Amino acid sequence: DKLGRDALINVAKTSMSSKILNVDADFFAAMAVDAVQMVKTTNSQGEHKYPVKAVNILKAHGRGASDSRKIPGYALNCTRASQAMPTVVNKAKIALLDFDLRKFKMSLGVQVVVTDPTKLQSIRDREEDIMKERIQHILNAGANVVLTTKGIDDMCLKYFCEANAIACRRVKKDDMRRIAKVTGGQVMLSLAGMDGEEGFEASMLGTADKVYEERVGDNELIIVEGCASQRSGSILLRGPNEYTLDEMERAMHDAMCVVKRVLESNEVVPGGGAVEAALSIYLEDFAKTLSSREQMAIAEFAEALLVIPKTLAVNAAQDATELTAKLRADHAGFQEDPVKYKDCANSGLNLTTGSIQDSLALGVLEPAMSKCKSISFATEAAITILRIDDMIKIQAQEDPRGGY
């Protein structure tokens, strides 16, 4: 928040620059920033956290990418189990179940031996009554929205319709866990208590201001709005086919993670190879002050950092050697005389025009935390590989017929 909204949008646009969302980067960058800020929470130490998992990304075929939108609440890609149920429930009490709501059946391997045929109907009635009692426990606790990862049969649906409750079946377990977290509910594996009796306590219910169904394209969504324990949000992506939507989802998730890093650390650095070029010049100068073999190691490390700007230039079909030389000259001048070359402090590659420009002015920004970690992890990986003394390779056996 300290950096301002423009900096956050520029960070998200930098993340999207090489992805499918680059065409509508302004639109989707603003959406990513709004979605992450929507789920802002403060922990007991007073630190602000932005759980990206509290933002659910949904995909729907049809229309164009610019028809994508934010949804204020946690959206589920499922529908009511029966059309007789209400479409809106205010002051929702949500029961989260991980078991079947169907006619009770004995476990596998358990058999009921009937010696008196007149008792057969009473056994069937008892099977129905067991499930009826379970549903009654849930409804008596105050539940008016029921979500289950398993199925719901017609008999159980009748009881929910009579109670004016919304019931959804086949909800994904990941969605169930996230809803439990944002609503303050608890996922129930069974209704059995410590004493062996079945029951359902009201403290197990999640709470929300409103749960409603909304039609999007060919499908319906269930939206949980105004969650109690944690703020949540959803993004609905629209696109022509499944492959495009998958790529859009990956790009949006990356952008939200970048925005989260910036909001939590409040530090950014210029992109376009500026950091790597400046570090390379600094380490080269530092290596010259050493009179041991460490000088060669540091000089090689400085040379290796230039791989990033060179790769960026090659990927953009530009002259990598010339651009990298110009970039190094700018940063060498700034480090030698900061006053004279103050305009070169944030010089980076502009791969659209094939020139060197101020990355901060262009809005090419990256999280400082991600930059530090990437350099650190690359160094650790190189050290790990260098520690390998021998490599044993199994030779492929020759096929007597002439092949392998």
Side-chain angles (χ1 to χ4, degrees):
D1 292 346
K2 295 176 183 176
L3 293 169
R5 182 178 172 83
D6 289 343
L8 295 174
I9 289 177
N10 284 331
V11 167
K13 284 169 67 176
T14 304
S15 169
M16 295 176 182
S17 61
S18 60
K19 300 183 178 74
I20 196 170
L21 297 180
N22 184 34
V23 180
D24 297 313
D26 291 326
F27 174 72
F28 284 105
M31 186 183 291
V33 172
D34 291 339
V36 174
Q37 289 180 326
M38 200 187 294
V39 296
K40 177 181 177 181
T41 57
T42 307
N43 61 16
S44 55
Q45 286 82 29
E47 298 172 339
H48 297 308
K49 296 294 179 183
Y50 300 85
V52 172
K53 285 188 176 179
V55 180
N56 192 22
I57 299 178
L58 297 169
K59 298 171 285 187
H61 294 176
R63 297 198 179 183
S66 57
D67 292 312
S68 304
R69 62 188 175 92
K70 297 192 306 293
I71 297 174
Y74 196 92
L76 291 170
N77 202 2
C78 58
T79 182
R80 294 171 296 154
S82 169
Q83 294 300 312
M85 293 176 179
T87 55
V88 180
V89 170
N90 292 307
K91 295 182 180 178
K93 301 284 186 182
I94 305 168
L96 307 167
L97 311 176
D98 192 13
F99 57 85
D100 257 328
L101 290 176
R102 287 186 281 195
K103 186 177 175 181
F104 182 79
K105 292 181 181 179
M106 289 293 183
S107 302
L108 193 65
V110 178
Q111 293 181 341
V112 179
V113 180
V114 181
T115 54
D116 185 359
T118 58
K119 302 287 186 183
L120 190 60
Q121 186 58 41
S122 61
I123 292 171
R124 288 174 179 160
D125 292 342
R126 181 58 192 152
E127 286 179 347
E128 293 180 4
D129 290 342
I130 289 172
M131 189 47 64
K132 182 180 179 182
E133 289 168 9
R134 287 182 177 176
I135 292 171
Q136 210 57 50
H137 283 311
I138 296 168
L139 294 174
N140 289 344
N144 49 20
V145 177
V146 179
L147 307 178
T148 178
T149 58
K150 305 290 175 63
I152 306 176
D153 66 8
D154 292 340
M155 182 190 74
C156 298
L157 286 178
K158 181 172 76 78
Y159 300 127
F160 289 128
C161 291
E162 289 172 355
N164 280 331
I166 292 178
C168 300
R169 51 190 164 199
R170 312 291 180 201
V171 179
K172 291 180 181 177
K173 287 194 177 183
D174 285 344
D175 287 335
M176 195 71 90
R177 282 192 286 267
R178 290 176 189 170
I179 289 173
K181 193 168 184 179
V182 299
T183 60
Q186 188 172 332
V187 179
M188 300 294 294
L189 300 176
S190 75
L191 296 183
M194 296 296 289
D195 55 358
E197 296 293 325
E198 291 192 338
F200 193 91
E201 296 180 10
S203 60
M204 305 295 183
L205 296 171
T207 55
D209 292 342
K210 185 164 78 167
V211 175
Y212 60 96
E213 184 182 78
E214 182 177 327
R215 187 170 185 81
V216 175
D218 298 331
N219 303 314
E220 289 86 16
L221 301 178
I222 294 291
I223 299 172
V224 183
E225 198 174 284
C227 300
S229 67
Q230 194 182 85
R231 299 174 70 184
S232 63
S234 299
I235 292 175
L236 177 66
L237 297 178
R238 305 302 299 268
N241 54 54
E242 190 175 342
Y243 303 107
T244 304
L245 288 169
D246 286 344
E247 286 299 319
M248 290 170 66
E249 181 187 13
R250 277 191 283 272
M252 181 59 73
H253 181 265
D254 289 350
M256 288 195 299
C257 288
V258 168
V259 172
K260 164 195 162 81
R261 290 289 183 207
V262 172
L263 284 168
E264 290 181 355
S265 66
N266 285 314
E267 292 178 340
V268 293
V269 292
V275 172
E276 288 81 7
L279 271 176
S280 176
I281 296 295
Y282 176 80
L283 290 175
E284 277 185 4
D285 293 340
F286 175 68
K288 293 173 186 175
T289 64
L290 301 175
S291 57
S292 64
R293 66 177 65 187
E294 290 177 359
Q295 182 188 101
M296 296 178 64
I298 293 172
E300 287 297 323
F301 191 94
E303 182 67 27
L305 285 170
L306 295 177
V307 168
I308 300 297
K310 284 178 181 177
T311 306
L312 288 172
V314 168
N315 287 346
Q318 303 288 352
D319 189 337
T321 307
E322 186 178 345
L323 282 178
T324 307
K326 289 179 180 178
L327 186 61
R328 280 169 53 82
D330 277 12
H331 285 284
F334 174 74
Q335 291 183 25
E336 186 178 334
D337 188 350
V339 177
K340 183 179 179 182
Y341 296 97
K342 62 180 180 180
D343 294 335
C344 300
N346 302 311
S347 291
L349 301 176
N350 182 348
L351 299 173
T352 307
T353 60
S355 60
I356 307 297
Q357 290 187 2
D358 190 328
S359 290
L360 282 183
L362 285 175
V364 180
L365 303 174
E366 298 179 38
M369 185 191 296
S370 299
K371 186 65 73 176
C372 292
K373 284 187 175 181
S374 62
I375 294 173
S376 174
F377 291 160
T379 307
E380 289 174 13
I383 292 169
T384 305
I385 293 168
L386 288 170
R387 281 179 178 158
I388 298 170
D389 295 325
D390 299 302
M391 183 173 68
I392 300 171
K393 189 175 182 182
I394 300 173
Q395 190 70 27
Q397 290 185 349
E398 288 191 20
D399 195 322
R401 292 171 292 184
Y404 284 91

